[in-house]
Amino acid sequence: MARPPMVDFSTPVRARVRTVRAMDEGVRLFRFVLVPLAFPKIRLELQTPVPWGVDVDAYEGKKVELMTGTVDDPDTSVENALNISLTRLDDDVQFYVVHERSQLLSPYTGPLRMNRTRRRVGRFSVTGKALCERNFERHSVAVLGVAGEGVRFLRPGEVFSYMTEEEQRAQLELRDCQRERRGTCEDSRKGVWNCQGLVSILPPVSPTK
């Protein structure tokens, strides 16, 4: 039996969006089904939260470019975490999923960083089978590297608008930041820190005549 072709994510993958489904409206989690233009028999599924202000339905049937890159900070606790970039080719609207202390993918190379602060904003716990319990603390994040802004503090769920070094409008939304304090599970990793932000890059505004 012939093996299916492999999709190489070391370079941008051009594809067409087949379907977009909302998985959970509460957190704006969407599933994209992508068909690579070079391999029309393959289906790629991308499930991700989406920043507010991005019209996800407008991606339906459009040609897009999917790009991945590894987190640039070796000290992150998210093993082998990826930055994900999805660009709509016809008008250059795009969004990124980035992790703690990550930079945006090319061509947007500004030193955007998200560092956890000591400002705890909430606590919650998750209990599973066999008395498996994990306890979490949610923290705000310090955003560094945005020109003219100094240090900006964000709480989970907040949105911050700014201009990139390439003079394009961007919105950063902090989706979830949590730290595992203790756990009774065999696979528990104490002190795990996971911070995820979403950045939407908007096309330049046409000058008014």
Side-chain angles (χ1 to χ4, degrees):
M1 180 180 296
R3 298 180 62 182
M6 301 295 291
V7 178
D8 181 12
F9 285 101
S10 63
T11 58
V13 174
R14 294 204 166 191
R16 185 181 296 276
V17 179
R18 176 131 186 186
T19 56
V20 182
R21 297 187 181 93
M23 305 300 295
D24 187 339
E25 291 293 345
V27 295
R28 286 178 56 82
L29 186 66
F30 285 81
R31 176 185 292 162
F32 293 83
V33 178
L34 310 176
V35 180
L37 299 181
F39 305 103
K41 293 185 178 181
I42 291 181
R43 300 293 184 271
L44 303 175
E45 289 196 7
L46 174 63
Q47 184 170 306
T48 176
V50 177
W52 299 108
V54 174
D55 183 7
V56 180
D57 293 335
Y59 280 80
E60 184 90 29
K62 299 292 185 179
K63 291 182 180 179
V64 297
E65 186 174 83
L66 178 65
M67 187 173 174
T68 63
T70 57
V71 170
D72 53 272
D73 192 318
D75 294 329
T76 179
S77 61
V78 184
E79 295 183 4
N80 300 319
L82 293 177
N83 289 344
I84 298 174
S85 167
L86 187 65
T87 306
R88 199 169 65 198
L89 296 178
D90 57 350
D91 56 10
D92 206 31
V93 173
Q94 55 197 291
F95 65 86
Y96 295 79
V97 179
V98 297
H99 287 271
E100 175 188 15
R101 300 180 186 174
S102 282
Q103 295 191 4
L104 296 180
L105 294 174
S106 176
Y108 303 101
T109 54
L112 175 67
R113 293 182 177 86
M114 299 177 293
N115 293 341
R116 178 178 61 88
T117 71
R118 294 184 179 182
R119 301 181 182 184
R120 191 179 72 192
V121 296
R123 302 185 69 177
F124 66 96
S125 63
V126 178
T127 303
K129 297 180 180 179
L131 299 179
C132 170
E133 181 177 346
R134 293 183 174 90
N135 295 272
F136 299 90
E137 293 180 354
R138 303 189 76 185
H139 291 261
S140 60
V141 158
V143 180
L144 302 93
V146 178
E149 289 289 340
V151 179
R152 181 70 175 254
F153 294 97
L154 286 183
R155 294 160 59 97
E158 288 188 335
V159 179
F160 166 47
S161 298
Y162 66 100
M163 297 292 291
T164 69
E165 292 183 348
E166 293 76 17
E167 296 299 319
Q168 285 200 263
R169 295 178 298 137
Q171 290 181 320
L172 166 63
E173 181 179 0
L174 186 60
R175 293 302 304 179
D176 192 27
C177 291
Q178 60 192 35
R179 183 178 182 184
E180 186 172 354
R181 300 294 294 172
R182 65 182 179 87
T184 58
C185 310
E186 293 183 358
D187 62 345
S188 175
R189 292 194 302 162
K190 295 182 179 180
V192 168
W193 168 244
N194 182 16
C195 175
Q196 183 184 77
L198 290 105
V199 182
S200 54
I201 307 292
L202 307 177
V205 178
S206 300
T208 57
K209 296 183 180 180

